[in-house]
Amino acid sequence: MVTTLLLKQLTIFFIYMAAGFMMVKLGILKGEDSKVLSLLCIYVLLPCAILKSYQAEYTPELRDGFMLAMGAAVAAQLILMAVTYGISGICHLDATEKASIMYPNSANLILPLVAGVLGDHYMIYASAYSCVQGIFIWTHCTSMMKGSRDMNWKKVFLNINLIPVVVGIIIAVASGNDAAVGLSTGELMSLFVYLMQILMSLMMLSMVFVMITMSMESAERIVEVLSEKSN
């Protein structure tokens, strides 16, 4: 059943791709219009879909499932980073190639697939990976690409992968007919504090990898300098 639904959604994706290709060939759209459509999907449609998925009854099972998804997302991201660093020396990967392996576009692609196959409710769990990947992209990935530890913290906190998740959690918890039932003001504040602690921990973890990356690059440069023969 799930396989059939997945194949159906993939077929729909390919139909969309074919329709876009035909519209460009027929002159209805231009190639540069794809950027506008992509921005519309990423900054409008996907955040709205994520917010819609959080219109669900807040339960301990939902909370535990989301936390499990967050943990799995962190583990998956760390595995990708470890594998990339492991093969970078063998394959002589540059920063762009490393980033393409560590940070695939799976976050944006998986959300519509999950919604179509499992239902809107399961996008809550899929959005956890989107949130984690967004934090790592705007911390570790940007530092790796720029070759420095300078980061724009505004973009970290205001990235489009993080905002709808945080807003969705607030809506789910604060909605009068769902989460707020039985929760006092102190309990709500504690929940928000724990949420911020989780986000800050993820950012600190990404900073560790930023420093590891910079240390590895510095060590490679030192070896190159020491290996050069003087004239």
Side-chain angles (χ1 to χ4, degrees), residues 84-182:
T84 303
Y85 283 124
I87 66 174
S88 62
I90 301 174
C91 301
H92 305 289
L93 302 177
D94 57 24
T96 303
E97 292 168 334
K98 291 178 184 177
S100 64
I101 298 174
M102 294 180 188
Y103 305 102
N105 197 29
S106 55
N108 293 324
L109 292 176
I110 199 65
L111 289 173
L113 282 176
V114 170
V117 175
L118 301 176
D120 293 339
H121 175 69
Y122 283 88
M123 284 186 66
I124 295 176
Y125 310 115
S127 66
Y129 180 76
S130 171
C131 177
V132 170
Q133 189 188 62
I135 292 174
F136 275 90
I137 285 176
W138 288 107
T139 52
H140 173 259
C141 184
T142 54
S143 296
M144 182 175 63
M145 294 297 294
K146 293 190 299 183
S148 68
R149 283 181 282 183
D150 297 332
M151 287 182 295
N152 189 334
W153 289 103
K154 181 180 178 181
K155 289 185 177 180
V156 174
F157 286 101
L158 298 181
N159 79 79
I160 197 61
N161 293 318
L162 180 61
I163 291 177
V165 174
V166 174
V167 173
I169 292 174
I170 294 174
I171 291 175
V173 173
S175 60
N177 58 350
D178 292 326
V181 178

Side-chain angles (χ1 to χ4, degrees), residues 2 29 36 45 56 66 82 87 93 103 126 142 174 187 219:
V2 175
L29 293 175
V36 178
L45 299 182
F66 181 79
I87 66 174
L93 302 177
Y103 305 102
T142 54
E187 290 172 331

Side-chain angles (χ1 to χ4, degrees), residues 67-78:
M67 295 304 297
L68 178 61
M70 287 282 287
V74 172
Q77 188 62 61
L78 294 180

